[in-house]
Amino acid sequence: MTTACIAFLCFSLLFYLGATVLFLVQVLRLKKTNLHHWGRRGLILGTIVNAIGLALHFLYSGLSPLSNMQSLVSLVVIVFVGIGLAAERLSRAPNVGLVVAPLAFLSMLYPLLMPVRFEDAHSVLLQFPWLGVHVLVSLLGYVGFALAFCAALIYLIQMRQLKRGQLHRYLPALDTAGTATFYAAGAGFSFFTVGLVMGLVWLFDTPGEFLGNRDPKIWMALPTWLLYAIYLYARGIRHQHGSRLKWLVVAGFVWAAANMMGVRHQFLD
Amino acid sequence: MQLVTIGLNHNTAPVEIREQLAFSDGRLDAGLQALVGPCDFLEATILSTCNRSEIYAVCEGDDGGERIRRFLAQEHGLDIDQLQPCLYELTGTDVAIHLFRVACGIDSLVIGESQILGQVRSSLEAAQHSKAAGLMLNELFQRALKVGKRARTETDIGRGHLSISTAAVELASRIFDRLDGKCALLIGAGEMMTLTAQYLVDTGVGRMIVANRTPERAAELARAFSGEALALEDISLQMHDVDIIISSTAAPGFVIHAQMIRDAMHKRRGRPLFMIDIAVPRDIDPKVRDLDNVFLFDIDDLEEVVRSNRQEREHEIGKVEILAEQERAEFDQWLNSLDAGPLIKALRDRAEQLRLDELQRWTTRLAHLSEEDRTTVESMLRGYANKLLHEPSVQIKKLAGTNDGYLQLEIIRRVFNVDGSEST
């Protein structure tokens, strides 16, 4: 990545951090202001700067966003924040950014602090366009999971406030957060499943050529799929509600994020 | 010309005096006619609510306050000395800032209440209908309505509910995004419960079930809310079907036990249940708070919500004061701009008089001129005067709109020794 691209990504990181602080101050009511408006502007600016950084990366190197961790995460964050802001506008709930902003910040921070190059993966990707679609669809799955995580977290915060007899008007109604969790998790699960199946089909098609049968990233993806499958079955088919199911969504996302950022494919020599 | 207001409100007068000075709808028009008729005010409006009676007037001279006092005493058959301690008098732009504060709701008994804005509008409409409102009061009241709306949209002065009944509905809206299609169970009776139920109906709750120890009372309440009556012993049968429970019975022990709710939640598959217990002693076992997705609020919780809302509104007063002060400054500028017209007219009159005087003085020497040449000379002088005064007129209008416009205009008046203080 060029220095200019890195600089843009760092600037977007600062915007996300600023937005996080503004949303936190607003929600904790340290000061009674309309800080969430500025937080939203920070998120939008951060996303624009992020997109410019990504475009520069493509223009200078000619490499796709899948060529390294920074640009890959940037792409995911742009899509994630975009959907988050659209959801906020549609639901008219002012503080969706409260969870979107810190998640965007942490996602961007990780690859900048721990740059991971995956030339091996990139060279394999160039050979198999099928894999490019697999990565893209899987990433959309992760975006859905991230949005479901945000909505579930808002649900749990709002529930805690109401249990204490406190009223937090800057968070959406419990029902709204619950419904948003379900739809986001449903969409994420659909993409993730397609991505997972595509990955497995490729793996069985090229046995032992690139990845071994015990590749950790593949096996680590299965618990995520299972956790979301349980959640969607309980909520969509059994019509179950309640906080325990939201914790399932939170756990599923934490696992998925750990897998996405912390585990690498082990390519065979 | 003077802008003056005389009035009383909940801070200055007891209810016995306030109710005597209130202007009912029937008396309002007659009062306005009297003010702009026999009392000789140029303009007048009357703002009469349950907590205040105020007369806003524009008059010549500076005895407007005294004349309004006499009018009030006469109109309501009261002794002027008895009224005197309860009345406040404001003049000039103090009237404006007072009305702006009133319209914003920060001078109200319930801070930030929105009813006052409608009352200010009605007051202006009544004065317009009686042809008692002129240029100045129209401008003043329109600005009051504007700043009142700004206060409610740009600050949180009108946010949150300040009564127990409405706070309960506000809490419900934090749990359910829509109340239509929800089912509410009312247990018992009582004024507060009836009020809360009424607010729920107003916000669109789909189905109402009323349970009471006395079946007749249950049927009566059910009719009032277009709901269904239920025997108190049968509430557990319906519990899984309701989303909102409001309880207010005089029962000595719990009417709703934790096990009852546990069973209901099992059947509801964990859907949120919102419960309000406004009975003392309590009707609902507080252990239900430990159940997932059950939200119980008792009378203390609701009072805490109301107290917190009131505190938040009080925090907003400072912001609203700034808005009112900004509007006062703009109104002040507008008032000053009214002074510009008479001053410009006085300057032009002075120039015209000088032109005529000069023509008169030169009549003998210009006698040899033909009629056509004389007309040309006259036109030349008029054109000269007009061109000379054009730029000063523009500048006077600009200066009048500045913060210290009044002072600047006064200097110009003195420099040219003209009296342009008459209002248009």
Side-chain angles (χ1 to χ4, degrees):
Chain A
M1 266 200 145
T2 62
T3 318
C5 304
I6 298 279
F8 270 98
L9 296 187
C10 288
F11 273 123
S12 69
L13 190 72
L14 287 177
F15 277 117
Y16 292 141
L17 175 64
T20 305
V21 172
L22 290 170
F23 278 114
L24 275 176
V25 173
Q26 171 73 45
V27 169
L28 296 173
R29 300 186 201 191
L30 298 178
K31 199 179 172 194
K32 188 88 178 70
T33 51
N34 288 329
L35 287 177
H36 57 285
H37 293 310
W38 290 101
R40 193 179 305 116
R41 283 170 198 148
L43 260 181
I44 294 168
L45 276 174
T47 312
I48 292 169
V49 173
N50 198 348
I52 294 171
L54 203 61
L56 283 176
H57 168 69
F58 178 71
L59 286 173
Y60 280 115
S61 64
L63 293 172
S64 71
L66 313 178
S67 61
N68 64 33
M69 190 59 121
Q70 281 102 326
S71 50
L72 178 68
V73 172
S74 290
L75 181 68
V76 174
V77 168
I78 289 168
V79 178
F80 165 67
V81 175
I83 297 176
L85 287 170
E88 185 186 69
R89 196 171 178 79
L90 289 174
S91 69
R92 292 181 186 174
N95 275 344
V96 173
L98 168 70
V99 277
V100 172
L103 209 59
F105 168 70
L106 291 173
S107 306
M108 291 293 290
L109 186 67
Y110 174 78
L112 282 170
L113 293 179
M114 303 180 70
V116 179
R117 295 188 67 82
F118 28 93
E119 284 85 357
D120 292 344
H122 197 248
S123 64
V124 175
L125 277 174
L126 289 175
Q127 287 178 46
F128 298 93
W130 171 270
L131 271 191
V133 180
H134 149 76
V135 172
L136 204 69
V137 171
S138 302
L139 286 180
L140 286 173
Y142 280 115
V143 170
F145 291 159
L147 289 168
F149 167 77
C150 292
L153 218 56
I154 287 176
Y155 184 99
L156 292 168
I157 296 171
Q158 181 70 293
M159 200 184 84
R160 188 166 157 267
Q161 294 286 108
L162 285 165
K163 281 277 185 192
R164 287 174 166 187
Q166 291 171 348
L167 214 148
H168 213 305
R169 66 170 70 95
Y170 291 106
L171 292 176
L174 216 57
D175 258 1
T176 313
T179 311
T181 309
F182 177 59
Y183 285 127
F189 182 76
S190 309
F191 282 116
F192 192 74
T193 306
V194 173
L196 200 64
V197 169
M198 286 180 83
L200 288 172
V201 166
W202 174 80
L203 190 67
F204 289 126
D205 214 32
T206 58
E209 280 187 58
F210 301 99
L211 290 174
N213 284 339
R214 293 185 181 176
D215 185 83
K217 205 168 179 78
I218 296 169
W219 290 107
M220 285 279 283
L222 293 179
T224 304
W225 187 89
L226 200 65
L227 282 171
Y228 278 93
I230 294 170
Y231 165 74
L232 289 169
Y233 169 75
R235 176 69 173 80
I237 295 170
R238 302 274 304 164
H239 301 292
Q240 293 281 351
H241 294 70
S243 62
R244 280 186 216 112
L245 285 179
K246 306 297 177 295
W247 283 114
L248 215 56
V249 171
V250 171
F253 177 72
V254 170
W255 189 272
N259 188 24
M260 187 190 168
M261 298 201 178
V263 182
R264 295 172 61 188
H265 281 298
Q266 288 182 352
F267 287 95
L268 301 173
D269 292 329
Chain B
M1 202 161 70
Q2 193 192 32
L3 181 60
V4 61
T5 190
I6 293 279
L8 49 74
N9 63 20
H10 54 278
N11 290 322
T12 64
V15 67
E16 299 79 39
I17 301 283
R18 294 206 305 273
E19 65 190 7
Q20 287 187 66
L21 251 72
F23 284 85
S24 59
D25 286 348
R27 293 178 73 176
L28 200 61
D29 189 51
L32 287 165
Q33 295 296 349
L35 282 164
V36 291
C39 297
D40 207 21
F41 285 98
L42 298 170
E43 298 178 40
T45 56
I46 298 172
L47 177 61
S48 183
T49 71
C50 52
N51 280 324
R52 71 179 66 244
S53 288
E54 290 172 341
I55 292 177
Y56 295 81
V58 180
C59 61
E60 299 282 7
D62 53 6
D63 64 338
E66 193 49 44
R67 279 153 59 195
I68 295 176
R69 269 190 209 90
R70 280 204 301 272
F71 162 78
L72 278 173
Q74 211 172 8
E75 185 76 8
H76 297 282
L78 296 167
D79 182 10
I80 199 163
D81 294 329
Q82 185 195 350
L83 276 181
Q84 185 61 31
C86 304
L87 296 173
Y88 46 82
E89 177 176 349
L90 300 160
T91 56
T93 51
D94 288 345
V95 174
I97 192 81
H98 172 73
L99 181 61
F100 297 160
R101 294 180 85 254
V102 168
C104 290
I106 54 175
D107 200 53
S108 299
L109 182 63
V110 179
I111 290 168
E113 53 106 358
S114 56
Q115 217 179 356
I116 187 68
L117 206 55
Q119 288 160 335
V120 170
R121 185 179 290 110
S122 303
S123 151
L124 175 62
E125 283 168 357
Q128 285 170 338
H129 184 257
S130 308
K131 297 192 169 34
L135 177 72
M136 196 175 292
L137 287 185
N138 261 309
E139 182 70 22
L140 178 69
F141 274 68
Q142 291 293 356
R143 282 176 184 273
L145 292 172
K146 188 179 91 178
V147 76
K149 279 183 202 157
R150 278 188 71 195
R152 283 164 183 87
T153 52
E154 293 176 27
T155 73
D156 284 349
I157 196 73
R159 269 210 156 161
H161 293 282
L162 297 186
S163 75
I164 299 283
S165 324
T166 49
V169 179
E170 192 181 357
L171 278 168
S173 71
R174 295 292 83 207
I175 295 166
F176 308 110
D177 51 354
R178 298 167 67 96
L179 289 179
D180 52 332
K182 301 291 177 211
C183 178
L185 170 64
L186 315 178
I187 306 169
E191 191 189 353
M192 206 184 289
M193 196 199 71
T194 316
L195 270 174
T196 312
Q198 187 58 55
Y199 278 115
L200 285 171
V201 170
D202 292 346
T203 44
V205 164
R207 187 176 159 217
M208 286 283 201
I209 302 171
V210 182
N212 200 294
R213 200 167 293 281
T214 324
E216 294 78 26
R217 180 71 179 132
E220 189 187 325
L221 267 176
R223 267 196 304 278
F225 297 116
S226 310
E228 307 153 30
L230 188 74
L232 197 60
E233 309 79 59
D234 296 336
I235 53 171
S236 57
L237 302 174
Q238 294 283 337
M239 202 71 88
H240 65 281
D241 222 16
V242 299
D243 305 291
I244 299 163
I245 298 174
I246 306 168
S247 191
S248 175
T249 73
F254 295 139
V255 176
I256 298 175
H257 298 274
Q259 189 54 45
M260 211 186 263
I261 297 299
R262 203 172 285 121
D263 294 343
M265 286 307 283
H266 184 68
K267 286 184 187 165
R268 293 171 61 76
R269 296 172 188 258
R271 272 185 296 127
L273 179 63
F274 175 52
M275 307 175 84
I276 303 171
D277 186 356
I278 37 185
V280 178
R282 288 176 295 181
D283 281 345
I284 303 173
D285 186 347
K287 282 182 193 157
V288 302
R289 284 181 204 271
D290 301 333
L291 300 176
D292 194 28
N293 260 5
V294 175
F295 303 96
L296 168 66
F297 298 90
D298 59 28
I299 192 79
D300 284 352
D301 298 324
L302 291 172
E303 272 170 5
E304 178 57 29
V305 169
V306 169
R307 192 191 59 77
S308 152
N309 283 344
R310 189 174 292 123
Q311 264 184 352
E312 284 192 20
R313 286 191 181 197
E314 281 166 6
H315 283 150
E316 294 298 289
I317 290 177
K319 287 186 198 168
V320 177
E321 293 277 14
I322 291 170
L323 287 182
E325 199 53 57
Q326 282 171 353
E327 199 60 44
R328 189 250 278 267
E330 283 178 23
F331 181 71
D332 211 12
Q333 286 176 8
W334 179 82
L335 276 182
N336 287 338
S337 72
L338 288 182
D339 289 343
L343 176 57
I344 292 168
K345 186 173 180 299
L347 284 174
R348 288 188 180 275
D349 288 349
R350 169 66 58 84
E352 181 63 10
Q353 192 56 51
L354 283 173
R355 186 182 72 87
L356 293 173
D357 290 351
E358 284 304 288
L359 279 173
Q360 185 66 36
R361 200 157 69 84
W362 291 84
T363 306
T364 324
R365 292 193 185 185
L366 297 177
H368 65 283
L369 293 181
S370 66
E371 191 58 35
E372 194 180 335
D373 289 340
R374 269 186 65 86
T375 312
T376 306
V377 170
E378 278 186 36
S379 301
M380 200 173 71
L381 279 174
R382 189 179 291 117
Y384 171 75
N386 281 343
K387 280 183 181 166
L388 188 70
L389 286 178
H390 174 72
E391 191 56 30
S393 303
V394 172
Q395 292 304 323
I396 285 170
K397 281 179 191 167
K398 279 188 188 168
L399 286 173
T402 58
N403 284 339
D404 58 347
Y406 176 77
L407 280 175
Q408 310 237 33
L409 261 52
E410 187 56 33
I411 293 167
I412 295 169
R413 266 186 216 108
R414 288 189 187 182
V415 167
F416 287 96
N417 193 24
V418 290
D419 181 18
S421 58
E422 283 177 35
S423 183
T424 46

